[in-house]
Amino acid sequence: MNRTFLAAAVATALAVAGTADAETLRWARAGDSLTLDPHAQNEGPTHTLAHQMYEGLLQRDMSGEIIPSLATDWAVTDDPTVWRFNLREGVSFHGGQEFTADDVVFSFNRAQKPTSAMKELLASVAEIRKVDDLTVEIVTEGPNPLLPANLTNLFIMDEGWTMQNDSEEPQDIANGGDNFAARNTNGTGAYILDSRVVDERTVLQANPDYWGMGEFPLEVSEIVFTPIQSAATRIAALLSGEVDFIQDVPVQDLARVDQSDGLKISNAPQNRVIFFGMNQGADDLETDDIEGENPFAKVEVRQAMNMAIDREAIKRVVMRDQSDPTGVIMPPFVNGWNETLDAVPEGDATVAKEMIAAAGYPDGFTVQLDCPNDRYINDEAICQAVVGMLGQAGITVNLDSKPKAQHFPLIQNRTTDFYMLGWGVPTFDSEYVFNFLVHSASDERGTWNATGYTDTALDEKIVSLASETDTAVRDATVNEIWEQVQADVLYLPVHNQILNWGMKEGIDFAVQPEDQPHVKFLSYSN
Amino acid sequence: MIAYIIRRVLQGSVVLAVVGFIAFAMFRFMGNPIENMLGQEATRLDRAALAERLGLNDPVPVQYVKFLGKAVQGDFGVSYRNGVPVAEMIVQRLPATLELAFVSAVLAVFFGIVLGVFTAIRRDGVLANIVMSTSLIGVSLPTFLIGVLLIWVFAVELGWLPSFGRGETANLFGWESGLVTASGLKSMILPAITLGLYQMTLVMRLVRSEMLEVLRTDYIRFARARGLSDRAVNFGHALKNTLVPVITIIGMQVGQIAAFAIVTETVFQWPGVGLLFINSIQFVDIPVMAAYLLLVGVLFVTINLIVDLLYAVVDPRLRVT
């Protein structure tokens, strides 16, 4: 009793301190949120803005750890296909409505509708049911030990508000859908929408009734979010003091920002790995000069290529030290990662050349590399560097760079021989990587695997992960799969990207590995 | 006269139809919007279903006819990026672009003519030569570079003017205007200079050379011999007769300013239709791109019509009989 009183007193004191000391955070990044409807787009900047206003049952904090949000705790019940979530008491939406289990059930059902962009993340959910006002159970098709990791961007809306405003279907972007929820919000989050002009300016005000008072710093009382597309202008706006905090700092400007008085750069490894894929399944490649066979089909060639890429040189020259060279296609936070897998292969062009010659290509061969030029940090420059490195190993690479809108369909349609791809792992678990990049290409899985690699036994192992509840067994399977991926050189990993945020001196804000700044965690050091 | 206008409008619609068709034929090569619209978790079935719903599997002529059929009824479809009706997006963005274009054009025409006349009359003056030399910068530097330089000097180093955005706007009879607030006007200065600099130097050089031409003619000499004041000779007689080619160029350039403010809008994060167009290209937002290109077509056709009518006002010989 006493303790509760104390906590309440501290919370009130903090709340008072927070309002007395009104701080506006002017924040800029390259792109705007696409919609305010929390289930209509599955996209980084859209989720990031939504996170300030809406909340899920749980969320990732600034270090990427899962922490409670609208649920206070959760666990698998005796039945391994049922998860039980206990909900937070006394939470209300911005409009004053009380938060209950009905809202959770409603929001999950909404996120599973055909027009929802979040439905794939809930593909394993068979049913969600209310136990009582503050308890829900999620029933999955088969055990799903990783369910919570799929829920970090799954926002809860108020049932009454959404129904009243005819927004029970998520905004149907493809079919000209426009709804109330795409332009208005009613979440439980730390900030309330004040005004918004798309692509121009979004203003949020601190929620005076936020349940997290005292749990989070909550030192920002107003957020003014402005997309600034041109990198030079974004930097200029930070240098001239017109904004306080920017994301998407171009690597060539990092030093300049860091050296400016009153500004600093924070960085951290990003949840995104960059790598190359090779079409090793085809009988013959479209773009090579070897008739009737596919040089990529030979593992020696792939090993040699892996050797020929000098990741340290790419880091130094192309990335200005802003990358974390890796030998495996997953970032370090992912379950399944270890240092042995991550070890970068020794680069040696001479040995690589000999290996390619020994594999039956004494004169090397020619192939085309497809590369995006507007998707990853310095993507085209990395490809150019790799063209040179493979050239030394005897492989003549013709580079074809194009915008992402033209590049990704090549991978989707599997009409590329050699391509660059970057991958983030929102669930922070290897299974996600395997499902999309390692499993044989099929309608459901392997959708981003354009390597033509198929191995039925491996596919079975991958599928088994989804329902394996024994952590030790599961981890062992994960490791087995990785060892095969590494031994077969399925991909040529390059590096993990490093994220940089630029901000005013005096702002304490750790870089979040998913590039999602949650402003409620921001504090000022003076 | 009315028959003439009707004929021009009909010609204009043919031009628009052709512009639209070429645009649609080009969209095929811009890439696929599906990847941008669905998250990376989408299955192949989701992708195929979306492509079907968007009608992307239809042949280009079919897509084009569907688009035209709706467009003539004023329905330009819905943005693939924001899910908002395209017409609404363009109407919301248009004031920003039109105001910027208007201010740029006024600056360009005013300073272009004044400086052009000045450099023509004082052909050998030191100041005139300095103006002529500096004007080379306006002609030769690319717009984005001028923009970035201006931002660097006036926003970052001096801190006088904002580096991005439109400042505060006020609602004037449903028109969001930045011309009536102090911060809106401050925000206007750098983008307007950036956008209009090329046109200003162009007008100036044109006026100058035309003036030099005219000043050599006999009637100017007679005018001087009659003892008319310099002002009457220079402005009343000489300038007026240089204006026909100048109006043609201004007309074409005003269209350019409004339609291709894309670079300036991107550099200054100016929330107009040019910026919208750039965003749409990156996203392969076909409805927005199509509507924008049609809008630009309408703009050019209209401006050309106005220019033709203006000729008649300035030069009685060109009056259509």
Side-chain angles (χ1 to χ4, degrees), chain B residues 230-294:
Chain B
D230 276 356
R231 213 178 112 189
V233 174
N234 290 334
F235 291 92
H237 294 274
L239 181 62
K240 201 175 171 200
N241 284 296
T242 63
L243 284 185
V244 168
V246 172
I247 287 177
T248 315
I249 292 294
I250 290 175
M252 287 166 69
Q253 293 296 326
V254 167
Q256 301 267 3
I257 286 181
F260 304 115
I262 297 173
V263 176
T264 306
E265 290 191 2
T266 313
V267 171
F268 289 94
Q269 191 66 27
W270 190 262
V273 284
L275 191 63
L276 179 69
F277 184 59
I278 282 282
N279 286 328
S280 312
I281 291 178
Q282 283 166 355
F283 203 91
V284 197
D285 194 344
I286 293 174
V288 176
M289 289 192 289
Y292 177 81
L293 291 174
L294 271 192

Side-chain angles (χ1 to χ4, degrees), chain A residues 120 172 199 229 233 432, chain B residues 41 46 53 81 93 267 269:
Chain A
E120 284 84 13
D172 184 1
D199 287 338
Q229 197 165 347
T233 312
Y432 187 88
Chain B
E41 285 96 0
D46 292 337
R53 280 175 64 197
R81 196 165 70 94
R93 302 294 203 97
V267 171
Q269 191 66 27

Side-chain angles (χ1 to χ4, degrees), chain A residues 75-329:
Chain A
V76 185
T77 57
D78 294 338
D79 176 352
T81 61
V82 178
W83 278 84
R84 176 177 285 223
F85 289 78
N86 291 315
L87 307 180
R88 196 174 290 280
E89 202 180 340
V91 176
S92 56
F93 287 91
H94 297 159
Q97 303 88 340
E98 198 188 345
F99 161 72
T100 66
D102 291 322
D103 299 316
V104 178
V105 173
F106 170 78
S107 300
F108 271 72
N109 287 335
R110 187 176 190 267
Q112 285 183 302
K113 297 210 167 171
T115 56
S116 160
M118 307 302 292
K119 58 181 182 292
E120 284 84 13
L121 286 164
L122 298 179
S124 69
V125 174
E127 191 202 343
I128 168 147
R129 58 186 179 223
K130 170 182 173 180
V131 178
D132 59 49
D133 264 357
L134 291 173
T135 317
V136 292
E137 282 182 349
I138 299 178
V139 185
T140 54
E141 285 160 3
N144 182 359
L146 285 178
L147 180 71
N150 280 341
L151 306 181
T152 54
N153 290 324
L154 204 93
F155 300 105
I156 305 298
M157 304 173 80
D158 178 53
E159 181 177 14
W161 178 83
T162 316
M163 298 289 283
Q164 258 165 34
N165 294 302
D166 293 327
S167 299
E168 56 264 57
E169 305 278 335
Q171 180 192 16
D172 184 1
I173 304 253
N175 238 10
D178 187 7
N179 67 21
F180 189 79
R183 295 160 188 254
N184 301 276
T185 63
N186 183 25
T188 55
Y191 293 91
I192 301 176
L193 182 69
D194 183 273
S195 67
R196 172 170 164 85
V197 183
V198 177
D199 287 338
E200 209 176 319
R201 192 177 144 95
T202 304
V203 181
L204 310 176
Q205 302 289 349
N207 175 1
D209 303 319
Y210 186 50
W211 60 265
M213 295 283 180
E215 280 193 43
F216 307 101
L218 291 166
E219 290 183 17
V220 173
S221 54
E222 182 187 49
I223 304 173
V224 179
F225 171 68
T226 325
I228 304 182
Q229 197 165 347
S230 150
T233 312
R234 200 156 61 241
I235 293 290
L238 182 68
L239 291 174
S240 66
E242 289 165 85
V243 296
D244 309 315
F245 163 58
I246 61 171
Q247 291 172 267
D248 310 308
V249 188
V251 288
Q252 63 270 20
D253 290 317
L254 290 171
R256 141 157 246 131
V257 173
D258 218 14
Q259 284 156 13
S260 303
D261 281 342
L263 297 178
K264 66 175 179 182
I265 292 282
S266 304
N267 57 26
Q270 188 181 4
N271 186 351
R272 176 160 283 134
V273 60
I274 306 295
F275 53 91
F276 292 98
M278 298 148 289
N279 183 355
Q280 46 212 266
D283 293 332
D284 190 13
L285 296 181
E286 288 285 320
T287 63
D288 67 348
D289 60 345
I290 308 276
E291 282 309 311
E293 57 181 307
N294 176 356
F296 288 154
K298 297 188 176 165
V299 70
E300 297 83 4
V301 172
R302 304 200 297 266
Q303 282 164 347
M305 290 169 76
N306 206 14
M307 236 182 198
I309 297 178
D310 184 348
R311 288 136 177 110
E312 287 299 330
I314 293 177
K315 172 182 178 176
R316 217 172 41 242
V317 180
V318 181
M319 304 302 287
R320 304 197 193 200
D321 283 332
Q322 297 298 313
S323 73
D324 165 31
T326 180
V328 68
I329 54 159

Side-chain angles (χ1 to χ4, degrees), chain A residues 434-505:
Chain A
F434 299 151
N435 274 342
F436 292 98
L437 298 174
V438 179
H439 192 285
S440 316
S442 68
D443 279 345
E444 290 289 313
R445 291 171 207 255
T447 38
W448 288 91
N449 178 3
T451 63
Y453 183 90
T454 43
D455 181 332
T456 327
L458 193 70
D459 289 351
E460 277 167 19
K461 280 186 195 169
I462 293 173
V463 174
S464 81
L465 293 175
S467 53
E468 180 56 67
T469 46
D470 183 334
T471 323
V473 175
R474 190 173 183 279
D475 285 350
T477 316
V478 164
N479 205 40
E480 270 173 46
I481 299 172
W482 275 120
E483 296 204 329
Q484 182 173 343
V485 168
Q486 294 297 84
D488 287 348
V489 197
L490 189 49
Y491 292 100
L492 308 174
V494 181
H495 56 231
N496 296 305
Q497 288 189 166
I498 289 190
L499 263 182
N500 286 286
W501 290 354
M503 60 192 89
K504 284 207 168 131
E505 210 75 70

